Amino acid sequence: MKKFQGTGVAMTTAFQADHSLDPQGLTALTHHLIQGGVEFLVILGTTGEAATTSAAEQERIVETIMTANAGKLPIVLGVGGNNTAEVIEKAKDWTAKFKPDALLSVSPYYSKPSQEGIFRHFSAIAESVDTPIILYNVPGRTASNMSSATTLRLAHAYKHIVAIKEASGLFEQNMEIIRDRPEGFLVLSGDDAITLPLIGAGADGVISVVANALPRAFSDMVRQALAGNFVEARKLHYPLLNFTQLLFAEGNPVGVKAALELLGVGGGAVRLPLWAASEGLKAQLKKELSGMGLV
């Protein structure tokens, strides 16, 4: 699963000013990321506003990005939810239709299942498809944390559960997974700001929001860290830190879409209940990008 080491990008979904899909914007972002040197693309995750796109729109988003990608980078499709049966049907359908390199599946939200419920949920998905699966733990959005013990239980039980996007922010939990994982199982940071220290602890990369806007700078930092060149990685990390924090100041993907608009890669529109970036945030982002010589 070396194809998922390094920097994956949780892609935004481009909307026009009237909030309809923007295929040209999706194509432009795809080319921007390929040229920026990232390792793989993640479509219809949280950053892609999957929660507010229809089934028909989701298929068009996937088709548009896959056409623009033209086989250049591995593709991961977001297929998750808190209705296990529905997730299984979508996973089977999309695996057959799109033949992605992997599926990214979030731990069930809202229902707040027990650890056994989380294990059984992912087991049912794994037993329905042969496509590699990347688990996604993000307690800040799901209201329940998938413990290291549950992650490791799944990793050891199913060979095609190949990685976890870990966005708990809990260093000890990440390190427990890294220490006890089966050979080949990847730990990917789900938090841009702590990607560097997590790689220092043994993580394998990131599924990034920041890399939508700054694919070259962020993926270079990750590559330097994975190569053990931490002095060089820190030189790239700290100039990005304030920009990273600003991207999440008014929610994700509000900040990164504003940054992409400033860079001329798609518009800044988001769908309700999200709301567009404030003028103050846009001014701060423009200052950061101007300091990098990008606007």
Side-chain angles (χ1 to χ4, degrees):
M1 288 296 105
K2 290 184 178 180
K3 68 175 74 174
F4 303 122
Q5 290 178 323
T7 301
V9 184
M11 294 181 69
T12 62
T13 295
F15 298 127
Q16 302 189 58
D18 65 358
H19 299 99
S20 61
L21 287 184
D22 179 4
Q24 288 185 326
L26 286 167
T27 298
L29 177 60
T30 305
H31 293 161
H32 172 67
L33 298 178
I34 293 168
Q35 292 162 9
V38 304
E39 276 73 37
F40 63 97
L41 306 177
V42 180
I43 307 173
L44 289 172
T46 304
T47 306
E49 295 176 79
T52 51
T53 53
S54 69
E57 286 176 323
Q58 289 183 8
E59 294 209 2
R60 190 176 180 200
I61 290 163
V62 174
E63 289 166 353
T64 301
I65 293 171
M66 291 187 84
T67 298
N69 181 55
K72 294 181 178 69
L73 297 178
I75 295 287
V76 179
L77 298 184
V79 180
N82 65 339
N83 180 338
T84 306
E86 187 176 272
V87 174
I88 287 170
E89 287 308 306
K90 187 172 184 178
K92 290 162 66 175
D93 181 39
W94 279 24
T95 294
K97 187 174 295 183
F98 298 117
K99 296 178 174 55
D101 294 275
L103 303 175
L104 176 73
S105 196
V106 68
S107 186
Y109 47 80
Y110 189 77
S111 301
K112 297 179 72 173
S114 66
Q115 293 301 307
E116 187 64 26
I118 294 171
F119 175 81
R120 298 285 179 174
H121 169 84
F122 283 120
S123 293
I125 297 169
E127 289 166 9
S128 72
V129 295
D130 296 326
T131 303
I133 296 169
I134 301 173
L135 307 172
Y136 180 17
N137 183 39
V138 58
R141 290 184 179 274
T142 63
S144 71
N145 178 49
M146 181 162 62
S147 70
S148 58
T150 299
T151 298
L152 290 164
R153 187 180 172 194
L154 287 162
H156 284 281
Y158 299 97
K159 288 184 178 180
H160 64 298
I161 293 182
V162 299
I164 183 167
K165 178 184 178 183
E166 240 295 347
S168 67
L170 301 171
F171 277 87
E172 286 185 60
Q173 179 162 297
N174 275 270
M175 289 188 291
E176 287 167 356
I177 298 168
I178 291 166
R179 181 191 64 196
D180 296 330
R181 61 187 169 175
E183 184 177 356
F185 184 82
L186 305 179
V187 176
L188 304 172
S189 174
D191 294 294
D192 288 277
I194 62 172
T195 296
L196 177 59
L198 282 178
I199 292 175
D204 303 282
V206 62
I207 294 178
S208 171
V209 174
V210 176
N212 277 281
L214 304 176
R216 179 64 63 186
F218 203 87
S219 61
D220 281 351
M221 182 275 289
V222 171
R223 277 188 287 272
Q224 290 287 356
L226 287 172
N229 301 325
F230 285 98
V231 172
E232 292 303 314
R234 284 195 294 272
K235 290 178 183 177
L236 295 168
H237 166 76
Y238 282 107
L240 297 176
L241 186 57
N242 191 51
F243 179 77
T244 299
Q245 292 167 333
L246 286 172
L247 290 192
F248 297 94
E250 294 181 7
N252 180 47
V254 172
V256 73
K257 279 195 160 182
L260 285 167
E261 186 171 33
L262 289 165
L263 291 166
V265 188
V270 292
R271 284 183 174 174
L272 287 169
L274 298 177
W275 191 248
S278 67
E279 292 304 317
L281 179 58
K282 290 178 185 177
Q284 289 178 289
L285 289 169
K286 186 173 183 179
K287 181 179 178 182
E288 289 291 322
L289 292 170
S290 178
M292 299 175 197
L294 297 175
V295 296

